[in-house]
Amino acid sequence: MTPYAAVAEPSRREILDLLRGGERTAGDLGAHLQLSQPGVSKHLKVLREAGLVAVRPDGKRRWYGLRAEPLAEVAGWLEPYRRHWSQRLNALEQHLEENPR
């Protein structure tokens, strides 16, 4: 699965947001997301296959951590859209300044 497809799902984006703060177990992620263990495991599998999450075994526990490098491709693809919206918002701001109520 590509990083694009992986981040298309809101629960997976929330998992990535949680992992920005450091490694977490699947149980911890499930508690934060209010998802079942199988649901969290399914999302983690997709994120691992996309290269966005790494797993570190520690005894019976598995710790999941963020691998942000693949998101650089997504960020690069989004850049023209950011510029587009920035230009549009700047034009709106200028219009509002020039035409106060």
Side-chain angles (χ1 to χ4, degrees):
M1 176 164 299
T2 68
Y4 297 100
V7 299
E9 206 284 328
S11 292
R12 291 196 285 266
R13 289 194 306 268
E14 195 167 351
I15 289 171
L16 294 175
D17 287 343
L18 289 168
L19 293 177
R20 280 189 299 132
E23 290 183 324
R24 293 179 182 257
T25 64
D28 184 43
L29 292 166
H32 276 80
L33 299 169
Q34 298 181 347
L35 289 175
S36 67
Q37 180 69 31
V40 172
S41 294
K42 180 180 170 182
H43 289 306
L44 286 170
K45 179 181 178 187
V46 170
L47 292 168
R48 279 194 326 268
E49 289 174 355
L52 295 169
V53 169
V55 61
R56 180 178 60 84
D58 182 25
K60 288 186 174 185
R61 290 182 147 184
R62 291 179 172 266
W63 292 91
Y64 295 89
L66 177 65
R67 290 192 67 248
E69 297 84 9
L71 292 173
E73 179 183 342
V74 176
W77 179 79
L78 287 171
E79 186 56 35
Y81 298 97
R82 281 190 199 103
R83 283 193 308 270
H84 169 78
W85 280 108
S86 179
Q87 291 167 354
R88 307 260 325 218
L89 291 171
N90 288 340
L92 175 61
E93 180 181 29
Q94 181 178 352
H95 172 76
L96 292 174
E97 287 174 356
E98 294 171 356
N99 300 290
R101 285 188 170 196

